[in-house]
Amino acid sequence: MGPERESGPSSPGPPDRRTLRLLERRLADDPLVAGSAFDPDSTEPRVLEARLDSDLFSPSIDGARFDIRWFTTADFTIHYVETGADGHRWECRWDRHPNPHDPRLHFHCPPDGTETAALELPSVHPLDVIATALAAVEERIDRAWDARD
């Protein structure tokens, strides 16, 4: 079921365009972020894609991004994806949405995002949630560089 559909209690609802624009402004000021774009466009955004600055990553990483969906129900998905020089993907996801198999607030664990764990956040305000995701990526970058030393 796509995020733009409103069909029943398991639907996260329509996109929260105001929050997506707020997050775009916040990410524009973050040194990790090289740029962002809305999908399908800025008039009717459903997803905010934030491309991270590849110069900050170890040479084995070709690119990294966040795909962010935020809904009027205050549900969200923040999907982090790294693509390695060898084509390998490393990903995780912070989610808040109704579903039958996980707590509403949960985390899809790396390296492939298939395993989930309950997630506790001190706040589900959009700026706090994105700060949590950015801090996790900063830690990942630091660990990758430390591993090379």
Side-chain angles (χ1 to χ4, degrees), residues 52-132:
L52 304 186
D53 185 348
S54 59
D55 291 340
L56 301 173
F57 290 82
S58 71
S60 64
I61 304 300
D62 275 351
R65 72 177 194 277
F66 283 113
D67 295 325
I68 303 166
R69 291 175 170 82
W70 208 279
F71 305 97
T72 57
T73 57
D75 288 337
F76 58 82
T77 295
I78 299 177
H79 187 190
Y80 173 72
V81 179
E82 278 177 14
T83 306
D86 60 0
H88 178 76
R89 284 172 52 119
W90 189 96
E91 56 191 293
C92 62
R93 199 169 76 221
W94 295 261
D95 280 350
R96 182 176 190 257
H97 62 87
N99 70 67
H101 48 82
D102 293 307
R104 184 172 186 188
L105 186 59
H106 58 278
F107 180 70
H108 289 258
C109 305
D112 60 9
T114 56
E115 290 187 35
T116 60
L119 178 62
E120 292 187 29
L121 297 173
S123 166
V124 291
H125 185 280
L127 295 176
D128 294 334
V129 175
I130 200 65
T132 296

